[in-house]
Amino acid sequence: MAAHRIWIKNPLALFTANDQEAPGGLVIEDGVITELLAAGATPTLPVDETFDAREHVVLPGLINTHHHFYQTLTRAWGPVVNEPLFNWLLTLYPVWARLTPQALQLASKVALAELLLSGCTTAADHHYLFPGGLEDAIDIQVEAVRELGMRAMLTRGSMNLSKENGGLPCKNVVQDAETILADSERLIDRYHERGDGAQIQIALAPCSPFSVTTDIMRACAEMAEARDVRLHTHLAETLDEQEFCAKRFGMRTVDYLQSVGWLGPRTWLAHGIHFNQVEIHRLGAAGVGICHCPSSNMRLASGICHTLELEDKGAIIGLGV
């Protein structure tokens, strides 16, 4: 099949990842930018389509590095609008336990459409909720991503530490370790794409220190290393979490991260607010990624991520909605 070439012509402004100037626009061939044009220049090869961009600004697609698509359905629910994180979660877990495949499909499409309308073309979603009947949650998300034409890092989240065993989630939203790890292997085998043009990738994402066991954290780290995929979790989002780690594990969050084999460049963390200066240095030296989620942090009044200090020490900083 012949290549399809589009000329995005003479934009009002054009921003590239490496600050190259291209006032004449750019040429896209089968979804790949193949040429940046100076003012007055024309494409070196004939094009099939021309888009007059003189009233448009062209910029790279934004990347959202942390999301929960399913929570789109409950983000404005009255009973939790003024609750701190732990109370918010405890109130919502029984609601989320009733999530159906159809509801997840709808939530995923709404979340992806909102992102696209904001200029976001790549998103990482952290899905850790697998109540009975929703075992194929990530498969549903893959279908939604492909239908809307985005790119996504879909994380196979997990919770196996229920409230009865000292965790936070209710019993009907957790899974056993064998189920979690078997499904993680299945998803990597079926969907993880590599190299240029990859649309779907899979990462492993135990939900948080207060909802999974240390065994799951270690097993996911070992699988990620063996299968060459990434690791993701929430960390240091609230002071309650620091207190939980100190009480349950006898250590602070970054020490816990190191103890389970997660302190390295394969890992990126959501929120990352309550780190001290020594921990910021350790995270940067290890090349850990941090997703700063300002709207969520303001919503919970949980604090502000030290993005500049973390980046200065070597951490990779991203943004999440």
Side-chain angles (χ1 to χ4, degrees), residues 60-73:
L62 301 176
I63 300 172
N64 170 32
T65 58
H66 181 73
H67 204 128
H68 301 295
F69 293 169
Y70 78 90
Q71 291 181 14
T72 300
L73 301 176

Side-chain angles (χ1 to χ4, degrees), residues 257 262-265 267-269 282-290 314-317:
L257 202 70
W262 278 58
L263 195 62
T267 297
W268 90 100
L269 308 170
R282 291 171 65 193
L283 290 163
V288 172
I290 308 290
I316 308 301
I317 303 298

Side-chain angles (χ1 to χ4, degrees), residues 69 112 123-127 137-143 145 152-157 187 191 200-204 268:
F69 293 169
L112 290 165
D125 187 65
H126 189 183
H127 188 90
I138 306 302
D139 305 78
I140 292 168
Q141 291 187 312
V142 169
E143 291 177 8
V145 170
M153 173 76 78
L154 299 175
T155 71
R156 205 305 179 180
L187 292 167
Y191 295 118
I200 303 288
Q201 293 195 324
I202 302 295
L204 306 181
W268 90 100

Side-chain angles (χ1 to χ4, degrees), residues 246-265:
K247 183 177 179 180
R248 186 172 182 88
F249 308 120
M251 61 186 81
R252 286 175 59 86
T253 52
V254 175
D255 293 323
Y256 176 69
L257 202 70
Q258 183 170 26
S259 75
V260 291
W262 278 58
L263 195 62

Side-chain angles (χ1 to χ4, degrees), residues 177-223:
E178 292 76 13
T179 298
I180 292 166
L181 296 174
D183 194 50
S184 297
E185 289 271 16
R186 178 187 72 84
L187 292 167
I188 295 169
D189 288 338
R190 184 168 184 178
Y191 295 118
H192 188 71
E193 301 172 9
R194 303 180 187 275
D196 294 341
Q199 183 182 16
I200 303 288
Q201 293 195 324
I202 302 295
L204 306 181
C207 180
S208 62
F210 49 81
S211 57
V212 298
T213 61
T214 55
D215 288 344
I216 278 291
M217 292 291 286
R218 291 194 184 100
C220 285
E222 292 168 1
M223 184 183 296

Side-chain angles (χ1 to χ4, degrees), residues 42-200:
T42 58
T44 55
L45 295 173
V47 297
D48 303 285
E49 184 180 346
T50 300
F51 178 81
D52 185 351
R54 60 185 166 182
E55 296 183 356
H56 297 266
V57 173
V58 180
L59 69 160
L62 301 176
I63 300 172
N64 170 32
T65 58
H66 181 73
H67 204 128
H68 301 295
F69 293 169
Y70 78 90
Q71 291 181 14
T72 300
L73 301 176
T74 56
R75 64 186 173 195
W77 192 45
V80 293
V81 293
N82 290 313
E83 293 292 335
L85 179 63
F86 277 21
N87 289 346
W88 185 83
L89 288 169
L90 287 169
T91 306
L92 279 167
Y93 279 136
V95 176
W96 293 336
R98 301 198 297 271
L99 188 68
T100 65
Q102 294 77 17
L104 177 60
Q105 182 183 53
L106 174 63
S108 299
K109 288 183 179 181
V110 170
L112 290 165
E114 289 176 332
L115 290 168
L116 281 168
L117 288 169
S118 73
C120 177
T121 56
T122 302
D125 187 65
H126 189 183
H127 188 90
Y128 52 80
L129 197 74
F130 296 84
L134 199 62
E135 290 80 7
D136 294 335
I138 306 302
D139 305 78
I140 292 168
Q141 291 187 312
V142 169
E143 291 177 8
V145 170
R146 288 177 173 166
E147 182 177 340
L148 272 73
M150 285 187 69
R151 288 183 175 178
M153 173 76 78
L154 299 175
T155 71
R156 205 305 179 180
S158 54
M159 297 191 294
N160 75 324
L161 187 64
S162 68
K163 192 174 181 180
E164 290 79 0
N165 295 315
L168 212 62
C170 51
K171 185 168 60 176
N172 54 346
V173 297
V174 302
Q175 294 179 304
D176 62 73
E178 292 76 13
T179 298
I180 292 166
L181 296 174
D183 194 50
S184 297
E185 289 271 16
R186 178 187 72 84
L187 292 167
I188 295 169
D189 288 338
R190 184 168 184 178
Y191 295 118
H192 188 71
E193 301 172 9
R194 303 180 187 275
D196 294 341
Q199 183 182 16
I200 303 288

